[in-house]
């Protein structure tokens, strides 16, 4: 359904989370368990809910870079969190969509987590208070928080603050609400929460919203075959075949409790819009950079293209301009920029890929990538932890996903940029031409997908079971002009 033309400048409120799974929200739930997210569910009831939205990279820095710039990792060179390091080279002239809004007279501000390459400066004002990984436990004795960690001791997957203790991440909400109260219109404001990312530390008041016994079976498919890549990531992330279901149940409960806290933050920010009298002319967006594993197949963290890690929630509400709708067509994170441009009547610069979700036709497939695949690469670069199972550096991995299939495969190794590339010369992984947005194929170089992969019907992934590599007999093999290079060579 198309949106009506805006009567005047619209404001934007963007709630951005880290490691938020779509199925942790009540409006996305399909089984008997219902997460407690009343404010988010109310937002969903007044706007568009995209059920099949996927990140362009299932890890923080490349996902956030793709969303802000409207360009996939293949065009920015940002494939993993190594790009957060000082001096990381970016292609010249990268523009983020908040900068475009600022050029059109918007006041822009972000509060909380950023986590993008240093060469990007999207906001007129950025206040990081409350968005750091240390903030949930800042100044506290971890022994007081009843922590549960993964078997390798590297990741806190559950914990609760003692009663009466202030919660540092609440600064994000407080600062964003205060800014809204005094902001001149039109404005674009983002509340960017670390939560529910690890360490999963829950404020005491939310510690009993859900309990471990609410999750009796949280390791579905643990005995089913998985790819070599997924099996190895389960091992280095602290779970693997010996994962403890009791740990996974505590992780699920704490995670969903923390999501309930995030839900309450949305309620506070919506109250701030109403108090200012601008709720009826403010577009509200909720999404995340990627999802998370919570013990499924013995895996914690994100990093893979399994549905819980790859899929993200996307809810867009524009009172009086968007009818309530539940969408099942494929969407991707970098679609957000063009969609917001369209809602606000701003012409999208040519550099932004993706589509306007309310005006442009859906693609037949989307493409995602993670990792550099170099000898120095690690699954967890910040901890220098996680080589591949043969001792090599952590591989680069890509995914082609249609509404019927998902294909994962390794990509060729990527070496650090050469001196010429740092000076702005051509990058070997940057396509010379992008696909045309009218749905016709453009010329692009091969993806170079190779090595062991995992091809499976998407419908079977949604059911939580493994699919066969054999294509179903009905219907021809999908021809996907919108896919990344090399997709046509795939035989599921």
């Amino acid at each position: 359904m198309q949106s009506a033309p805006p009567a005047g400048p619209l404001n934007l409120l963007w709630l951005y989370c880290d490691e938020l799974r779509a199925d942790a929200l009540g409006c996305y739930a399909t089984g008997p368990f219902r997460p407690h997210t009343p404010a988010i569910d109310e937002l969903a009831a007044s706007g568009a809910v995209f059920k099949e939205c996927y990140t362009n990279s299932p890890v923080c820095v490349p996902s956030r870079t793709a969303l802000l710039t409207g360009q996939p990792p293949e065009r920015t060179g940002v494939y993993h969190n190594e790009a957060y390091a000082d001096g990381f080279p970016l292609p010249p002239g990268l523009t983020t969509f908040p900068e475009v809004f600022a050029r059109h007279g918007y006041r822009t501000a972000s509060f909380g987590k950023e986590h993008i390459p240093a060469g990007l400066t999207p906001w007129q004002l950025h206040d990081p208070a409350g968005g750091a990984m240390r903030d949930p436990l800042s100044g506290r004795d971890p022994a007081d928080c009843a922590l549960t960690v993964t078997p390798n001791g590297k990741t806190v997957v559950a914990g609760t603050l003692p009663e009466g203790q202030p919660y540092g991440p609440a600064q994000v909400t407080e600062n964003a609400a205060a800014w809204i109260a005094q902001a001149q219109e039109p404005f674009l404001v983002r509340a960017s929460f670390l939560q529910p990312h690890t360490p999963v530390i829950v404020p005491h008041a939310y510690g009993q919203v859900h309990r471990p016994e609410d999750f009796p079976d949280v390791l579905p498919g643990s005995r089913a075959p998985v790819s070599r890549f997924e099996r190895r990531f389960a091992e280095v992330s602290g779970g693997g075949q010996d994962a403890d279901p009791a740990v996974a149940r505590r992780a699920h409960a704490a995670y969903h409790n923390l999501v309930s806290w995030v839900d309450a933050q949305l309620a506070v920010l919506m109250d701030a819009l109403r108090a200012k009298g601008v709720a009826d002319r403010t577009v509200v967006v909720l999404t995340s950079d990627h999802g998370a594993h919570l013990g499924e197949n013995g895996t914690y963290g994100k990093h893979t293209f399994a549905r819980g890690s790859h899929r993200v929630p996307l809810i867009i509400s524009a009172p009086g301009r968007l009818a309530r709708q539940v969408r099942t067509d494929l969407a991707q994170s970098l679609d957000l920029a063009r969609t917001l441009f369209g809602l606000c009547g701003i012409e999208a610069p040519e550099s932004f890929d993706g589509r306007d979700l309310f005006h442009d036709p859906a693609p037949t497939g989307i493409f995602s990538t993670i990792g550099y695949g170099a000898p120095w690469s690690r699954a967890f670069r910040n901890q220098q932890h996680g080589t591949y199972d043969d001792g090599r550096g952590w591989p680069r991995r890509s995914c082609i996903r249609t509404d019927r299939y998902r294909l994962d495969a390794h990509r060729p190794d990527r070496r650090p940029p050469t001196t010429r590339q740092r000076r702005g010369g051509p990058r070997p992984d940057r396509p010379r031409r992008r696909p045309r947005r009218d749905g016709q194929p453009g010329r692009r170089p091969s993806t170079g997908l190779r090595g062991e992969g995992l091809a499976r019907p998407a419908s079977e992934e949604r059911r939580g079971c493994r699919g066969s590599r054999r294509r179903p007999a009905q219907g021809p093999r999908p021809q996907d002009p919108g896919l990344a290079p090399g997709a046509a060579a795939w035989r599921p």
Side-chain angles (χ1 to χ4, degrees):
M1 180 175 295
Q2 294 186 348
S3 59
L10 293 173
N11 305 306
L12 296 106
L13 167 63
W14 173 18
L15 193 79
Y16 199 29
C17 294
D18 199 331
E19 288 194 8
L20 177 61
R21 292 167 58 125
D23 60 5
L25 307 178
C27 53
Y28 281 84
T30 57
F33 173 73
R34 300 294 297 185
H36 182 72
T37 53
I40 294 174
D41 296 347
E42 182 180 354
L43 181 72
S46 67
V49 179
F50 293 86
K51 295 280 191 174
E52 297 296 325
C53 184
Y54 296 88
T55 180
N56 296 97
S57 186
V59 72
C60 298
V61 177
S63 172
R64 290 164 178 261
T65 301
L67 186 152
L68 285 166
T69 63
Q71 297 188 16
E74 282 68 25
R75 294 186 63 204
T76 65
V78 178
Y79 294 100
H80 209 301
N81 288 348
E82 289 94 330
Y84 187 61
D86 290 341
F88 184 87
L90 292 171
L94 272 185
T95 300
T96 65
F97 78 80
E99 292 175 282
V100 177
F101 274 92
R103 293 171 194 161
H104 285 79
Y106 277 72
R107 283 74 175 172
T108 69
S110 175
F111 299 90
K113 181 171 180 175
E114 187 69 279
H115 209 191
I116 56 176
L120 296 178
T121 54
W123 306 97
Q124 294 170 332
L125 169 67
H126 172 57
D127 184 346
M133 290 187 67
R134 65 179 180 273
D135 287 330
L137 280 171
S138 181
R140 298 179 180 87
D141 184 350
D144 295 334
C145 298
L147 301 183
T148 297
V149 299
T150 51
N152 63 5
K154 292 183 176 293
T155 305
V156 176
V157 295
T160 304
L161 287 183
E163 187 172 6
Q165 293 290 311
Y167 193 52
Q171 295 175 84
V172 176
T173 312
E174 296 164 1
N175 293 338
W179 188 88
I180 290 171
Q182 56 79 43
Q184 294 182 344
E185 298 182 77
F187 61 78
L188 162 58
V189 59
R190 184 182 71 172
S192 182
F193 296 97
L194 172 71
Q195 289 65 40
H197 191 289
T198 55
V200 182
I201 306 298
V202 184
H204 188 273
Y206 293 85
Q208 298 297 318
V209 178
H210 302 292
R211 299 171 180 270
E213 52 266 30
D214 295 333
F215 305 92
D217 182 15
V218 295
L219 298 174
S222 293
R223 297 177 179 84
V226 296
S227 71
R228 177 185 176 190
F229 179 86
E230 291 171 315
R231 182 175 64 251
R232 178 58 181 162
F233 186 72
E235 293 168 355
V236 302
S237 68
Q241 295 181 347
D242 298 327
D244 184 350
V247 171
R249 283 192 286 271
R250 291 195 292 273
H252 270 257
Y255 180 91
H256 285 83
N257 289 344
L258 198 49
V259 172
S260 293
W261 176 84
V262 170
D263 179 82
Q265 308 317 295
L266 173 62
V268 172
L269 294 172
M270 294 300 294
D271 285 344
L273 294 178
R274 287 187 281 266
K276 189 177 178 67
V278 299
D280 63 343
R281 55 182 182 272
T282 300
V283 176
V284 181
V285 178
L286 182 141
T287 190
S288 66
D289 53 0
H290 46 73
H293 296 281
L294 298 173
E296 298 90 348
N297 292 310
T299 307
Y300 291 91
K302 49 270 188 181
H303 208 110
T304 81
F305 297 106
R307 188 171 172 82
S309 171
H310 194 197
R311 187 171 70 140
V312 295
L314 178 59
I315 302 171
I316 303 175
S317 175
R321 293 169 175 82
L322 289 178
R324 180 181 181 181
Q325 53 195 286
V326 176
R327 299 273 295 273
T328 58
D329 49 319
L330 286 174
Q332 56 187 327
S333 293
L334 58 75
D335 290 336
L336 183 62
R338 282 188 169 269
T339 301
L340 295 183
F341 291 149
L343 282 170
C344 296
I346 294 174
E347 183 177 355
E350 181 65 23
S351 64
F352 285 82
D353 281 359
R355 64 178 176 120
D356 182 333
L357 292 168
F358 301 112
H359 291 85
D360 297 335
T364 49
I366 58 174
F367 184 67
S368 306
T369 305
I370 183 173
Y372 285 91
W376 41 262
S377 297
R378 298 293 181 268
F380 298 93
R381 181 66 176 170
N382 61 326
Q383 301 174 358
Q384 285 297 301
H385 169 65
T387 57
Y388 207 47
D389 55 7
D390 55 6
R392 289 182 296 139
W394 195 257
R396 184 171 179 228
R397 189 83 165 170
S398 293
C399 173
I400 301 169
R401 191 182 276 272
T402 74
D403 60 354
R404 295 179 65 193
Y405 294 102
R406 164 190 152 205
L407 171 70
D408 300 358
H410 285 359
R411 298 284 299 278
D413 291 352
R414 294 294 180 192
R415 297 295 188 262
T418 65
T419 300
R420 184 184 181 197
Q421 292 158 14
R422 289 192 183 98
R423 292 173 179 168
R427 302 183 64 91
D429 54 343
R430 185 172 181 178
R432 295 185 181 275
R433 290 186 59 187
R434 294 177 281 117
R436 289 163 48 183
R437 293 191 182 90
D438 59 5
Q440 299 303 313
R443 295 187 306 171
R444 299 182 73 180
S446 170
T447 55
L449 292 176
R450 70 179 189 183
E452 64 90 27
L454 175 66
R456 54 186 300 196
S459 59
E460 296 195 9
E461 183 187 22
R462 283 193 282 272
R463 293 197 299 268
C465 59
R466 288 287 162 193
S468 167
R469 292 173 184 249
R470 184 176 64 253
R471 182 170 63 86
Q474 70 274 16
R477 180 175 65 85
Q479 299 296 318
D480 294 332
L483 288 181
W490 170 35
R491 294 290 190 274

